[in-house]
Amino acid sequence: MESRALLSGLCSNSTIPAIKAPPKQLFLTLHPSSSSSSSSSSAVCFKTPLLVSRTSAKAYFKRLECVNSTEKLGNVVFDKEDYKNPDIKRKKLAVFVSGGGSNFKSIHQACLQGTANGDVVVLVTNKNGCGGAEYARNKKIPLILLPRTKEEPDGLSPSDLVTALREFDVDFILLAGYLKLIPVELIQAYPKCILNIHPSLLPAFGGKGYYGMKVHKAVIASGARYSGATIHFVDEHYDTGRILAQRVVPVLANDTAEELAARVLREEHQLYVEVTTALCEERIIWREDGVPLIVSRENPNEYS
């Protein structure tokens, strides 16, 4: 454990000026590409959530800046002294969802309250009408559709997605109920920077087809006495990346899948916020054998 390599050193994706934590409303100005034939300097001002299309990713993400960042976030106060290292910059997070987005909401609230030293700067979804996307619209968080399909022609290709996330200066990607396989282009662009949460104790009850209520039904049918939540780094396959953190819950004798799901979800919300907090404070290290560990904030010689 003496050999440490801070995770933050593995991601250097800064390509544009930092975007401050969004105020009550986010106002974005998109400047056309410098290759435009027009000599006038035009700009489009959005007062509604920005939906990043395939065209806008290519043509308009040349420059992105906040034009109104003076409002305060209610009574929220961010105090750098709350963190172990006050020199660590606030991290920019992209969250991926396919459903209601309850973990996404927990992470976003933790950022707003100052628990996590980061900001959710963009939401990626494959379902424009899902609950997580609706929450993002209400909170003025920009949206990206992935992948591009006949039903969602404005969805981005993997290469366009990488370009868009880099323009948002994303440091880490958090999957929170995103049901599509992550493109290899994204994994290569963000090595050891993509996390996922799964509603079982991996490697049990994971892999393709194991998601949502299917997982909890399988756990109960197996007779397992314990289940829980697992946060792991993402690789090219479903649920096979290195495990970072787990939380255990009992499986009761008369549990239904819905009851077990609710018990696991409560732990997911807490665990994902704790891991996001550690990630933003650069407390993730890698053991010599490739196992990631979380360094205790109180005692740097203790791990989880």
Side-chain angles (χ1 to χ4, degrees):
M1 298 183 185
E2 294 179 356
S3 176
R4 303 181 180 178
L6 285 175
L7 177 61
S8 62
L10 298 173
C11 289
S12 56
N13 301 307
S14 301
T15 57
I16 62 170
I19 302 175
K20 300 293 184 181
K24 292 179 180 177
Q25 288 190 350
L26 180 66
F27 299 87
L28 299 176
T29 298
L30 300 185
H31 296 265
S33 168
S34 59
S35 61
S36 172
S37 59
S38 172
S39 60
S40 61
S41 177
S42 59
V44 181
C45 185
F46 291 82
K47 293 189 178 181
T48 56
L50 173 65
L51 177 60
V52 181
S53 69
R54 175 165 54 95
T55 302
S56 64
K58 287 184 175 180
Y60 293 106
F61 271 121
K62 298 300 182 183
R63 185 179 178 190
L64 176 65
E65 61 185 6
C66 258
V67 296
N68 185 353
S69 59
T70 58
E71 294 185 54
K72 296 181 179 179
L73 287 168
N75 295 321
V76 176
V77 176
F78 298 115
D79 186 355
K80 283 188 175 182
E81 293 181 0
D82 289 343
Y83 299 96
K84 191 172 183 65
N85 185 348
D87 297 324
I88 296 176
K89 73 178 183 70
R90 291 183 68 82
K91 299 299 186 287
K92 294 177 174 58
L93 311 174
V95 182
F96 286 42
V97 304
S98 292
S102 62
N103 274 303
F104 160 45
K105 297 172 187 176
S106 295
I107 292 169
H108 181 244
Q109 289 300 314
C111 292
L112 293 182
Q113 294 165 6
T115 303
N117 189 31
D119 302 298
V120 178
V121 297
V122 63
L123 180 79
V124 177
T125 182
N126 63 309
K127 296 183 178 180
N128 195 28
C130 71
E134 185 63 26
Y135 177 86
R137 292 188 191 96
N138 292 336
K139 298 299 181 180
K140 313 304 179 188
I141 298 173
L143 295 173
I144 290 177
L145 295 179
L146 178 79
R148 185 193 314 159
T149 63
K150 292 181 179 179
E151 293 76 19
E152 298 289 359
D154 286 331
L156 299 190
S157 68
S159 59
D160 287 342
L161 174 65
V162 171
T163 298
L165 294 182
R166 282 178 170 162
E167 293 295 346
F168 276 106
D169 201 16
V170 167
D171 294 299
F172 298 108
I173 296 169
L174 307 177
L175 310 188
Y178 184 73
L179 301 182
K180 296 291 185 180
L181 188 65
I182 297 301
V184 65
E185 294 90 337
L186 188 61
I187 295 171
Q188 292 173 350
Y190 286 86
K192 295 184 178 179
C193 295
I194 307 176
L195 288 175
N196 183 38
I197 190 162
H198 184 78
S200 77
L201 296 177
L202 292 176
F205 307 103
K208 187 175 182 179
Y210 278 96
Y211 61 89
M213 209 59 66
K214 294 182 179 181
V215 174
H216 305 298
K217 289 179 179 179
V219 170
I220 292 174
S222 75
R225 295 331 194 239
Y226 295 94
S227 188
T230 300
I231 293 178
H232 64 94
F233 284 93
V234 174
D235 59 17
E236 292 83 356
H237 308 286
Y238 286 106
D239 304 326
T240 59
R242 288 288 193 170
I243 292 173
L244 176 62
Q246 291 183 312
R247 190 66 52 82
V248 176
V249 303
V251 180
L252 305 182
N254 297 316
D255 261 344
T256 65
E258 290 76 15
E259 289 169 338
L260 179 58
R263 193 178 305 119
V264 171
L265 187 60
R266 285 193 294 270
E267 297 300 326
E268 286 185 33
H269 292 165
Q270 182 178 354
L271 183 62
Y272 221 163
V273 168
E274 291 176 2
V275 169
T276 301
T277 299
L279 195 67
C280 292
E281 294 177 10
E282 301 182 359
R283 290 191 286 110
I284 311 298
I285 66 169
W286 293 80
R287 211 166 61 188
E288 289 182 352
D289 60 357
V291 173
L293 300 171
I294 299 175
V295 179
S296 168
R297 179 192 283 180
E298 291 74 24
N299 187 344
N301 293 318
E302 294 182 357
Y303 311 91
S304 61

PDB file of all heavy atoms in Angstrom, residues 105 113 285:
ATOM      1  N   LYS A 105     -29.663  12.550  -8.417  1.00  0.00           N
ATOM      2  CA  LYS A 105     -30.184  13.618  -7.566  1.00  0.00           C
ATOM      3  C   LYS A 105     -29.393  13.710  -6.264  1.00  0.00           C
ATOM      4  O   LYS A 105     -29.081  14.815  -5.793  1.00  0.00           O
ATOM      5  CB  LYS A 105     -31.667  13.384  -7.281  1.00  0.00           C
ATOM      6  CG  LYS A 105     -32.554  13.429  -8.516  1.00  0.00           C
ATOM      7  CD  LYS A 105     -33.979  13.000  -8.196  1.00  0.00           C
ATOM      8  CE  LYS A 105     -34.813  12.891  -9.472  1.00  0.00           C
ATOM      9  NZ  LYS A 105     -36.183  12.389  -9.187  1.00  0.00           N
ATOM     10  N   GLN A 113     -24.754  21.249  -1.690  1.00  0.00           N
ATOM     11  CA  GLN A 113     -24.628  21.469  -0.249  1.00  0.00           C
ATOM     12  C   GLN A 113     -23.176  21.580   0.210  1.00  0.00           C
ATOM     13  O   GLN A 113     -22.924  21.899   1.368  1.00  0.00           O
ATOM     14  CB  GLN A 113     -25.320  20.329   0.496  1.00  0.00           C
ATOM     15  CG  GLN A 113     -26.823  20.303   0.283  1.00  0.00           C
ATOM     16  CD  GLN A 113     -27.463  18.998   0.713  1.00  0.00           C
ATOM     17  OE1 GLN A 113     -26.801  18.120   1.278  1.00  0.00           O
ATOM     18  NE2 GLN A 113     -28.752  18.859   0.452  1.00  0.00           N
ATOM     19  N   ILE A 285      -6.681   5.894  -4.411  1.00  0.00           N
ATOM     20  CA  ILE A 285      -5.337   5.464  -4.783  1.00  0.00           C
ATOM     21  C   ILE A 285      -5.415   4.052  -5.370  1.00  0.00           C
ATOM     22  O   ILE A 285      -6.431   3.360  -5.230  1.00  0.00           O
ATOM     23  CB  ILE A 285      -4.356   5.479  -3.588  1.00  0.00           C
ATOM     24  CG1 ILE A 285      -4.769   4.441  -2.545  1.00  0.00           C
ATOM     25  CG2 ILE A 285      -4.277   6.874  -2.980  1.00  0.00           C
ATOM     26  CD1 ILE A 285      -3.720   4.202  -1.479  1.00  0.00           C
TER      27      ILE A 285
END
